[in-house]
Amino acid sequence: MFFALQGVQDDVWLKTPTWKGYTNVRRLMQQRQMSVEIIQAINRIRCRKVVDEDGGCDPADVFIVLPADSMGDAILTDIKADMPDIEVVPWSFEMDGPKVRRPREGSSHQPLLTLMRNTEPGESVPLSTIQRELALKPAGLSKLREVLRNDTHATSKALVELGVKYVSGRGPGAKSFLVKQQVA
């Protein structure tokens, strides 16, 4: 439609499409189209069912994620202009929710959890036994110690849920072990 009214434009214009003071006509057209579609979608919720003689409708909650840029601001401005009584409230939203970390597959973490699940309450298991049972090399045992010292690691949290506590030995020759707490 634009070209029908304005005539064919050259390649330079297509790279930076300006018109009547708008720096990017294509982006403006996309933004306005999106605004119209969103307003129509909002109106489909309840606005077709009139509940009073003034043409009012029941209140409705609409949750929408707009781009966090000038296009999102322009869309919100268009919505407010077409729906003057709309109430806009900020919404705390995370796209995929909080990250959930699981123990890595193929590592010693899953077998360690299984070993401690099968351990009787009150029993302590030295790390030397864990190293032997899980066939860990010295580097693997060292990495496991780092994980056990980190209270925020998923494996450490899973052990705490099982009632398992890591006790780190101090000094030369001291032994570290995992102890499963007695259930009260």
Side-chain angles (χ1 to χ4, degrees), residues 104 108-109 112 127-128 130-132 134-150 153 156 166 168 176:
R104 291 187 337 239
S108 61
H109 301 192
L112 173 65
L127 284 188
S128 57
I130 292 171
Q131 180 180 15
R132 186 176 60 254
L134 304 181
L136 294 176
K137 295 181 178 170
L141 182 63
S142 177
K143 287 180 183 178
L144 182 60
R145 281 180 208 256
E146 287 176 32
V147 166
L148 295 172
R149 287 187 196 118
N150 181 356
H153 194 279
S156 296
Y166 172 62
S168 177
S176 298

Side-chain angles (χ1 to χ4, degrees), residues 6 8 16 26 47 52-53 57 60 66 76-77 83 87 101 103 112 123 131 167:
Q6 301 300 315
V8 177
T16 55
R26 228 175 331 174
C47 290
D52 60 23
E53 63 269 359
C57 63
L66 294 173
L76 186 57
T77 301
M83 306 177 84
E87 182 182 339
R101 298 210 181 264
L112 173 65
E123 191 177 338
Q131 180 180 15
V167 179

Side-chain angles (χ1 to χ4, degrees), residues 100-105 109-110 153-155:
V100 177
R101 298 210 181 264
R102 297 180 326 184
R104 291 187 337 239
E105 294 296 324
H109 301 192
Q110 262 331 72
H153 194 279
T155 301

Side-chain angles (χ1 to χ4, degrees), residues 41-48 57-63 83 85-89:
I42 292 171
N43 285 332
R44 280 189 197 107
I45 295 171
R46 305 232 180 162
C47 290
R48 292 186 182 184
C57 63
D58 286 331
D61 292 331
V62 177
F63 297 89
M83 306 177 84
D85 293 332
I86 196 165
E87 182 182 339
V88 178
V89 179

Side-chain angles (χ1 to χ4, degrees), residues 106-118:
S107 71
S108 61
H109 301 192
Q110 262 331 72
L112 173 65
L113 293 173
T114 303
L115 176 70
M116 295 313 296
R117 235 181 248 113
N118 296 330

Side-chain angles (χ1 to χ4, degrees), residues 65 91-100:
V65 178
W91 172 37
S92 177
F93 174 75
E94 264 186 72
M95 183 61 106
D96 296 325
K99 273 194 171 175
V100 177

